[in-house]
Amino acid sequence: MVQATENLTALTVRLVTTGPHPRLRGWDRLSTEVLDAQPVAGYADLLSRHVGHRLDLAVPSSLVAGVVPGVVIRLRARLAGGEALAEKRPPPGTFAVEPAP
């Protein structure tokens, strides 16, 4: 059996589109443009390669209720099962939504 790599990356993304996640109840799938990515100490960084590209992110619906395309979101996410997943319960100061310019 292959063990998953513990990974986590701090991302800054611009929201392109959003909608319900097709498989994860209570989650939304966000299509984003990755503006910046930083490693998180103690974890492998598997998402930095997406800077400058589009990335679909699964994010708990409660965290992104009412967001509109163009907003900038700062969050931490991991790669699991080939999908980028935001933290379900982000620690204080690690998740923020900034208004669209």
Side-chain angles (χ1 to χ4, degrees), residues 55-92:
L55 176 67
D56 286 343
L57 282 167
V59 180
S61 300
S62 60
L63 295 176
V64 292
V67 297
V68 296
V71 298
V72 171
I73 304 171
R74 298 180 192 281
L75 55 84
R76 300 190 319 179
R78 63 187 171 93
L79 190 61
E83 184 167 22
L85 299 166
E87 291 178 299
K88 189 172 186 176
R89 292 179 197 88

Side-chain angles (χ1 to χ4, degrees), residues 5 7-13 32-39 44-57 77-85:
T5 301
N7 69 93
L8 193 64
T9 305
L11 298 173
T12 302
V13 300
T32 67
E33 174 188 348
V34 181
L35 305 174
D36 187 46
Q38 298 295 321
D45 173 9
L46 301 182
L47 295 174
S48 285
R49 62 189 167 97
H50 294 284
V51 171
H53 301 282
R54 291 271 175 104
L55 176 67
D56 286 343
L57 282 167
R78 63 187 171 93
L79 190 61
E83 184 167 22
L85 299 166

